[in-house]
Amino acid sequence: MTIRDALLSDAAAIARLTGELGYVANAQAISDRLSKIIGNPDHLMIVASFKEEIVGWLQAHASEVLESGFRVEIVGLIVDGNARRLGTGRSLVQRAEQWASAINASAVVVRSNTVREESHLFYPAIGFIHSKTQAVYRKQLKETDSKSA
Ligand SMILES: CC(C)(COP(=O)(O)OP(=O)(O)OC[C@H]1O[C@@H](n2cnc3c(N)ncnc32)[C@H](O)[C@@H]1OP(=O)(O)O)[C@@H](O)C(=O)NCCC(=O)NCCS
């Protein structure tokens, strides 16, 4: 299994995995977003590949937060349902931690929907501490072709 930076040509595979999580996103929409993310120094966009197949992806974003300082947030992480419990998620997060350290971030944070039971077993197992529980509010400003299922 190899961890590498995502390429625009990974869009279809990333869209397929994203669909597994209940987000409707077509390859074109993912490709359009990837083109804005790849090369942006505030973002890390990586994939895990096994025998040329994309089996997972992670997006992380670095930002200066007034209350808590410069930190990295994992904003997306998915491992193929057929490739779980093989260490892929751990390897993707380790790469994000290395990036966070390299850019001098003080912490790596992640928010995860309470319905994703496996992620609430995963993050503590790899050293993350459950620090708070939040509600997420959203106001839709325009229609997009992606929405949470
Ligand atoms: C959460 C997720 C990314 C984990 O990926 P993964 O590649 O299966 O995780 P790993 O194999 O690296 O697991 C590392 C450790 O986490 C724990 N863990 C992971 N999944 C677990 C599960 N379903 N049940 C219990 N423990 C689990 C284990 O301790 C595991 O180590 P072990 O297999 O040696 O016991 C994957 O299940 C996933 O994509 N889920 C759907 C999307 C999601 O919830 N994303 C996170 C939201 S931000």
Side-chain angles (χ1 to χ4, degrees):
M1 201 256 301
T2 309
I3 307 286
R4 61 163 172 81
D5 289 333
L7 304 169
L8 265 185
S9 55
D10 296 324
I14 290 173
R16 179 184 61 76
L17 289 179
T18 306
E20 272 194 22
L21 212 53
Y23 290 92
V24 181
N26 64 39
Q28 188 56 53
I30 294 288
S31 177
D32 291 346
R33 290 174 202 151
L34 273 180
S35 66
K36 295 176 195 156
I37 294 166
I38 291 173
N40 181 329
D42 293 334
H43 287 263
L44 177 74
M45 184 70 221
I46 51 177
V47 296
S49 74
F50 182 70
K51 295 184 180 168
E52 311 285 312
E53 282 272 304
I54 303 296
V55 293
W57 63 261
L58 178 148
Q59 182 189 1
H61 179 234
S63 60
E64 191 75 51
V65 178
L66 201 61
E67 301 99 319
S68 51
F70 187 54
R71 69 180 201 183
V72 162
E73 178 167 1
I74 294 171
V75 291
L77 166 64
I78 305 176
V79 173
D80 190 320
N82 296 318
R84 292 190 185 155
R85 298 304 294 270
L86 297 172
T88 305
R90 184 193 298 268
S91 298
L92 285 163
V93 173
Q94 274 172 352
R95 182 63 65 88
E97 289 173 14
Q98 286 163 6
W99 175 66
S101 293
I103 61 174
N104 211 22
S106 57
V108 178
V109 299
V110 61
R111 298 162 220 251
S112 184
N113 193 323
T114 50
V115 302
R116 303 202 195 291
E117 289 175 16
E118 66 276 24
S119 81
H120 300 287
L121 299 164
F122 169 72
Y123 286 112
I126 61 166
F128 283 67
I129 291 162
H130 182 177
S131 62
K132 62 179 163 183
T133 302
Q134 298 177 312
V136 175
Y137 297 88
R138 178 184 178 91
K139 184 184 277 190
Q140 193 75 27
L141 298 180
K142 62 177 186 172
E143 290 308 312
T144 68
D145 62 354
S146 291
K147 61 179 189 305
S148 154

